[in-house]
């Protein structure tokens, strides 16, 4: 069964082992203004943000060309929503870990909202809250709760909100943040006293506790090394966020900073039924994610050819299907409170 890790900024993380199912078979801009209310200005803006880029057989945003490596097409949107479901399985249906107030919640900001599914669910769960989601891509649905709006914006640009938020949230932003210190400071400056900033993300890194990945996961390990290289070259790290993100919150002035790390199996090798089910879902998601992550990382940043990427992805999928490789990812939750 997966064990969770809790630390504070002064404590070291202790990670327990996931238990293996030995019987598993091995295979062979202005506050709360939605885009739709902006008239001709909206029409002009929509024309520019919908002028997508097409590379690697996928569709990419063009609003801030080159700032984000991953696609925004329908397949990617399906993947994002699928991962949201996996988060719900892991968290037992919860949307946050920060101890935000359950009643009378005011303004909430979801940065890098993606399909907007988290913001929509949060708006449904907290009808008193005003939920704003922003993203580089206008891929959110048109039918949303009345207390939820979406904006096309780059959360790494200067924020121009005139009113502060009670809670600021960002999910799956590893590989999307160039300056975590600046982001943490902007979040701090745009929160009410007592407000929380929370980041939730997997990193693009893979582990095992029993050396099975080192013994039988050659191409998976090679991919992790390439992702580390590409993240450094691109300027937006996709790994090693634990220390940098928590330190950024501390430097920005946040208090009561908490870190939670959850080991999540990437295939159904665990002997715990819940973890096995999560592993089934993660295996499917991870296989799909390879088609999202690898083209941008390997071709755009590292100059690989499309065929080379396809061959690499095929070899990684074969290792993913091998249940004797007890691989898992780490899911990070980091939050802090503005005094």
């Amino acid at each position: 069964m997966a064990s969770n890790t809790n630390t504070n900024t002064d404590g070291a993380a202790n990670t327990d082992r996931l238990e293996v199912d030995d019987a598993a078979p091995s295979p062979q801009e202005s506050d709360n203004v939605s885009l739709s209310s902006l008239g001709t200005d909206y029409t002009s803006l929509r024309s520019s943000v919908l002028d997508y880029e097409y590379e690697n057989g996928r569709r990419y945003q063009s609003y801030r060309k080159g700032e984000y490596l991953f696609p925004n097409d329908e397949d990617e949107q399906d993947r994002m929503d699928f991962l949201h479901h996996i988060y719900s399985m892991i968290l037992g249906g919860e949307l946050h870990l920060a101890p935000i107030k359950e009643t009378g919640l005011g303004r909430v900001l979801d940065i890098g909202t993606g399909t907007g599914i988290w913001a929509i669910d949060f708006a449904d769960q907290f009808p008193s809250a005003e939920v704003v989601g922003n993203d580089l891509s206008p891929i959110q649905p048109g039918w949303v709760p009345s207390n939820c709006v979406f904006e096309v914006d780059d959360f790494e640009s200067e924020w121009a909100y005139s009113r502060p938020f009670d809670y600021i949230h960002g999910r799956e932003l590893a590989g999307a943040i160039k300056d975590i210190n600046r982001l943490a400071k902007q979040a701090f400056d745009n929160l009410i006293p007592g407000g929380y900033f929370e980041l939730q993300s997997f990193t693009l890194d893979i582990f095992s506790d029993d050396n099975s990945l080192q013994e039988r996961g050659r191409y998976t390990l090679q991919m992790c090394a390439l992702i580390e290289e590409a993240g450094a070259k691109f300027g937006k790290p996709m790994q090693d966020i634990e220390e940098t993100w928590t330190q950024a919150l501390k430097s920005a002035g946040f208090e009561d900073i908490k870190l939670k790390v959850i080991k999540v199996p990437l295939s159904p090798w665990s002997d715990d039924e819940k973890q096995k089910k999560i592993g089934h879902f993660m295996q499917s998601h991870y296989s799909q994610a390879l088609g999202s992550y690898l083209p941008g990382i390997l071709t755009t940043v590292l100059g690989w050819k499309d065929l080379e990427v396809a061959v690499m992805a095929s070899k990684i999928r074969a290792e993913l299907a091998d249940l004797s490789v007890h691989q898992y990812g780490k899911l990070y939750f980091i939050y802090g409170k503005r005094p």
Side-chain angles (χ1 to χ4, degrees), residues 144-158:
V144 299
S146 60
N147 59 326
C148 179
V149 296
F150 295 109
E151 307 170 338
V152 174
D153 199 3
D154 181 358
F155 66 78
E156 291 209 291
S157 298
E158 192 69 28

Side-chain angles (χ1 to χ4, degrees), residues 13-42:
N14 294 317
T15 54
D16 296 330
R17 293 168 60 93
L18 289 165
E19 296 301 325
V20 177
D21 181 3
D22 294 325
S26 294
Q28 321 283 331
E29 300 69 344
S30 61
D31 295 359
N32 283 6
V33 176
S34 65
L35 287 177
S36 58
S37 68
L38 297 181
T40 57
D41 289 339
Y42 165 67

Side-chain angles (χ1 to χ4, degrees), residues 224-237:
C224 292
L226 291 167
I227 288 172
E228 182 178 18
E229 178 186 351
K233 187 174 182 179
F234 186 58
K236 296 187 176 184

Side-chain angles (χ1 to χ4, degrees), residues 81-95 117-118 121 171 200 274 278 331 333:
D81 289 348
F82 187 28
L83 184 57
H84 176 75
H85 175 67
I86 294 172
Y87 264 86
S88 296
M89 293 174 64
I90 294 169
L91 295 177
E94 295 295 332
L95 295 171
I117 191 170
W118 182 94
D121 282 358
R171 177 180 281 185
Q200 310 175 356
K274 178 181 178 181
I278 290 173
L331 177 54
F333 296 86

Side-chain angles (χ1 to χ4, degrees), residues 128-143:
S128 68
E130 303 174 40
V131 182
V132 180
N134 65 34
D135 199 90
L136 293 172
S137 297
I139 56 175
Q140 302 78 34
W143 292 96

Side-chain angles (χ1 to χ4, degrees), residues 314-331:
S314 176
K315 292 180 180 298
I316 295 169
R317 288 190 177 100
E319 293 174 352
L320 176 65
D322 184 352
L323 298 192
S324 71
V325 181
H326 305 137
Q327 53 184 302
Y328 64 86
K330 290 183 180 180
L331 177 54

